[in-house]
Amino acid sequence: MTFHLQPVRVGLIGAGRMGSFHAENLAYRVPGATLAAVADPQPGAAEKLASKLGVAKAYSDLHALLRDPEIDAIAIAAPARTHAEWVIAAANAGKHVFCEKPMAVTLEEADRAIAAAISAGVVLQVGFNRRFDAGFAAAIAAVKAGENGITQLSRSVTRDPALHDPSRIPQWTIYLETLIHDFDTLLHFNHGAKPVEVYAIADALVRPDFKDKGLLDTSVVTIRFDNGAIAIAEANFQAVYGYDVRGEVFGSKGMLQAGHITSSNCVRYSASGISMETSRMDSDLLREAYVAEMIEFARCIRTGETPRATGEDARNALEIALACIESVTLNLPVKVGAR
């Protein structure tokens, strides 16, 4: 692996909402890195974002970005079902890779992506941003250090603020793109244990009119681990009160809680009652975590460290997600790793 003394030159794939957010962070908020290029196949999209951020290079040909010798690393914020393809292509081009979750949607894809990064000797980091949130990071560190004792019960919640256009949501998104965060969190809330069985139930409760088109917008998942611990993951695509992300781990020595919904710690007391402002976007609630994950990505490239959210972590969470899909399809508990 080549260590970098100069700022890491990052090329971004994907100029949509999340790609634009990552682009601004790389352009302005990530010491040790610089946004050197933007690529998006949509005509004009890369040029528009690059111009806004003062970036000299814009590509509509994504492979041209990968061939650019002045690019050290690629940040992938393309549509989720294409992620593995671009991870593999970027690694084969000798570029370090940051990939938004999910890294892949099949285990075969995940294995190929991991193998490509190992073969090329490049950093592969996946965007499990909760690991970089101060509260979640502290809880995971306490579990790993044994401060909470042996994990017995844990829970992770994701409730998105609004379901705008259900027609654009691919089937099984609730597991592959939403609860994938919760699965990663719960694996780290039970350090060293392996999931052995999953039971998932789901329905379209926010938009029941789209259920026959494959939409599932609400789910509860029970995970049993090989040390006997039980975990619950819960998701819903529309919490009218804001973006709600929380976690809890109960162990033999106590309990840890992480996550919040408020946009500030100001609580208003008035004649109408008690109120507080809530975050309505992931990029608001977890803004510092998004920056921190990119800072770690740049540091790992520069120093040779291993990032805390690896390709193997992405595969482990994906294995649970795929078991959930099978469980919902069969309406039965499913063994993890049995496929």
Side-chain angles (χ1 to χ4, degrees):
M1 180 180 293
T2 301
F3 299 155
H4 291 261
L5 299 179
Q6 299 301 317
V8 176
R9 298 166 296 183
V10 181
L12 173 76
I13 292 179
R17 182 186 74 86
M18 187 50 62
S20 297
F21 180 68
H22 282 308
E24 289 189 11
N25 287 338
L26 286 164
Y28 303 132
R29 305 181 186 101
V30 182
T34 183
L35 181 64
V38 177
D40 193 294
Q42 285 292 110
E47 290 80 0
K48 181 178 179 181
L49 181 59
S51 176
K52 175 184 175 182
L53 299 176
V55 175
K57 295 182 179 182
Y59 294 96
S60 57
D61 179 355
L62 306 190
H63 290 284
L65 171 67
L66 301 185
R67 292 192 296 268
D68 189 334
E70 296 183 345
I71 298 297
D72 304 309
I74 300 296
I76 300 168
R81 311 302 161 103
T82 69
H83 285 178
E85 168 193 351
W86 292 114
V87 170
I88 294 165
N92 288 342
K95 312 297 187 186
H96 302 281
V97 185
F98 174 92
C99 182
E100 261 301 338
K101 55 75 194 170
M103 181 187 72
V105 295
T106 71
L107 294 180
E108 187 271 338
E109 282 184 345
D111 289 338
R112 288 176 55 220
I114 293 167
I118 292 172
S119 177
V122 297
V123 170
L124 172 56
Q125 181 175 328
V126 180
F128 287 131
N129 50 58
R130 287 177 210 183
R131 300 255 223 105
F132 298 85
D133 172 81
F136 279 95
I140 290 169
V143 168
K144 188 174 182 179
E147 297 171 13
N148 204 48
I150 299 171
T151 295
Q152 297 170 353
L153 297 168
S154 58
R155 178 173 180 163
S156 185
V157 172
T158 298
R159 297 173 185 163
D160 290 337
L163 178 54
H164 295 294
D165 184 0
S167 67
R168 299 182 63 183
I169 300 175
Q171 190 176 27
W172 306 119
T173 289
I174 198 164
Y175 301 116
L176 296 171
E177 300 183 43
T178 302
L179 280 166
I180 198 87
H181 278 297
D182 302 83
F183 301 149
D184 178 70
T185 296
L186 293 170
L187 285 167
H188 287 83
F189 276 177
N190 195 4
H191 180 69
K194 294 185 180 299
V196 294
E197 186 179 79
V198 162
Y199 181 50
I201 57 175
D203 210 331
L205 303 181
V206 180
R207 289 297 302 269
D209 52 321
F210 272 82
K211 184 176 181 179
D212 63 353
K213 298 179 177 65
L215 175 70
L216 296 172
D217 56 41
T218 306
S219 182
V220 175
V221 178
T222 302
I223 306 168
R224 184 177 292 276
F225 289 85
D226 60 0
N227 64 351
I230 301 169
I232 295 174
E234 171 195 318
N236 181 279
F237 283 172
Q238 185 158 290
V240 296
Y241 54 86
Y243 186 55
D244 189 357
V245 170
R246 290 172 286 120
E248 178 179 289
V249 53
F250 175 85
S252 58
K253 293 183 180 179
M255 181 176 69
L256 302 162
Q257 292 181 326
H260 60 91
I261 188 172
T262 57
S263 58
S264 76
N265 59 8
C266 177
V267 181
R268 291 175 169 82
Y269 296 79
S270 68
S272 60
I274 302 172
S275 65
M276 61 192 72
E277 295 179 353
T278 59
S279 296
R280 302 288 166 151
M281 297 286 289
D282 50 358
S283 52
D284 293 327
L285 182 67
L286 296 166
R287 178 174 294 275
E288 293 180 4
Y290 278 113
V291 174
E293 68 181 357
M294 281 298 182
I295 291 174
E296 176 159 303
F297 179 53
R299 187 180 69 247
C300 288
I301 293 171
R302 290 161 63 86
T303 66
E305 296 175 49
T306 299
R308 75 186 80 173
T310 65
E312 288 79 5
D313 289 326
R315 189 192 192 281
N316 292 339
L318 175 63
E319 196 167 38
I320 297 176
L322 294 174
C324 288
I325 293 171
E326 185 175 355
S327 178
V328 169
T329 302
L330 299 175
N331 194 26
L332 291 170
V334 168
K335 299 296 182 185
V336 177
R339 290 159 310 287

